[in-house]
Amino acid sequence: MGYASATVPSASQWGSPIASKRALLIHGLNSSSHTFHRVASMLAAKGYLVVAPNLLGHALRMSGVDFQVQTLADDLLPYLQAAEYDIVIGHSMGGAVVLSLLKYLPKTRPTSVVLVDSSVELTADQMAVRRANDAGVKPNLTVEYYMASNPLWTREDAVWRSLGIQISRATNYDDHMDGNVPWSFSHLFADRPAAAALTVLIADPRSNGVSKLETIAKFRDVRAVIVPNTSHWIQYEFPEVIVEEALRNVEG
């Protein structure tokens, strides 16, 4: 079935439309499809058609009926109805969206699923701490600020990060935190089809990452990989690690 057969949300696309291999990349909170521009380009160079949708309330899209992660996931169902994907990747909150879509993946077709520094469990105290920390972050930070603060980023990375915030809803952070209490998605690991391999990439514990090894390690069939010297933004700093992990599950 082609994309013309279903109504799909806005998205960015890389690679040939007639490619036999497909990847679906899902961005996080207050970001956009272009957060994956380097990962997508690498996968396209390896023969994949890469599709990266923009979530509800992001990239100038209207918000959904509520701010639950499942609502964000349901909005993307037309993509899974229109095609099957060899690779599915989600960053940050996009990882929770991916977990909410696991039950819709093919039961027998091998699928490589990669979560990129995604928080799957937060206690009420941890949510309060995150809110307090994020309350001090200034909105509309400049490209120059991001480049100075993140020496591994390219200027294009910084541009897309800054733009992603500017074209998202101003109240997205509070709305999605309030709309998903408790912040609990690890139970969705059980929805992984037997044919799907699931990997969680974890930022260097010394950085400001959100995925915690002690949470992921509880799940026997989930591969956990700490990526040294990275922050939460692994897709900007070491995109090749994401690509390597995604490919190892489908191309050996």
Side-chain angles (χ1 to χ4, degrees):
M1 182 185 297
Y3 291 119
S5 301
T7 301
V8 296
S10 70
S12 299
Q13 184 173 301
W14 293 258
S16 170
I18 61 173
S20 60
K21 300 180 291 186
R22 295 173 182 263
L24 182 69
L25 314 185
I26 302 176
H27 69 79
L29 181 60
N30 284 339
S31 190
S32 75
S33 56
H34 274 83
T35 192
F36 284 114
H37 71 102
R38 288 210 266 170
V39 172
S41 295
M42 290 178 180
L43 287 172
K46 292 184 178 293
Y48 282 80
L49 169 62
V50 182
V51 179
N54 290 301
L55 296 174
L56 289 167
H58 297 75
L60 304 180
R61 292 194 67 202
M62 298 291 290
S63 60
V65 295
D66 57 42
F67 299 97
Q68 294 182 16
V69 165
Q70 187 62 59
T71 299
L72 300 177
D74 289 345
D75 175 64
L76 302 184
L77 275 179
Y79 284 103
L80 298 181
Q81 294 167 345
E84 292 186 342
Y85 293 87
D86 304 276
I87 293 172
V88 180
I89 300 173
H91 172 244
S92 196
M93 186 179 73
V97 174
V98 169
L99 289 179
S100 300
L101 291 171
L102 287 181
K103 59 190 174 185
Y104 301 113
L105 295 182
K107 304 305 180 186
T108 58
R109 179 189 176 107
T111 308
S112 179
V113 179
V114 180
L115 309 188
V116 182
D117 204 47
S118 299
S119 179
V120 297
E121 292 290 338
L122 285 174
T123 66
D125 288 344
Q126 289 171 329
M127 290 184 76
V129 169
R130 287 194 59 179
R131 282 179 182 274
N133 291 340
D134 292 337
V137 177
K138 297 179 180 179
N140 301 322
L141 295 173
T142 65
V143 170
E144 287 68 27
Y145 168 85
Y146 283 117
M147 291 193 69
S149 302
N150 302 279
L152 295 178
W153 292 21
T154 66
R155 184 170 187 82
E156 190 174 1
D157 296 332
V159 167
W160 286 121
R161 176 62 186 137
S162 179
L163 183 60
I165 294 175
Q166 293 177 44
I167 59 178
S168 295
R169 296 174 62 259
T171 60
N172 262 354
Y173 183 85
D174 287 336
D175 289 340
H176 287 89
M177 292 294 278
D178 291 338
N180 294 278
V181 178
W183 189 275
S184 179
F185 301 98
S186 63
H187 63 282
L188 296 175
F189 283 133
D191 290 339
R192 177 186 65 86
L198 205 163
T199 300
V200 179
L201 299 182
I202 302 170
D204 193 314
R206 297 170 296 179
S207 74
N208 63 340
V210 301
S211 188
K212 304 302 178 186
L213 178 61
E214 57 269 27
T215 300
I216 307 303
K218 298 175 183 177
F219 298 90
R220 185 184 61 185
D221 295 328
V222 178
R223 173 177 163 84
V225 178
I226 294 176
V227 186
N229 304 314
T230 59
S231 72
H232 180 56
W233 301 92
I234 300 173
Q235 69 270 34
Y236 292 157
E237 295 155 355
F238 293 99
E240 67 276 9
V241 173
I242 299 174
V243 173
E244 289 170 5
E245 285 296 328
L247 293 178
R248 74 185 297 275
N249 293 324
V250 289
E251 297 188 2

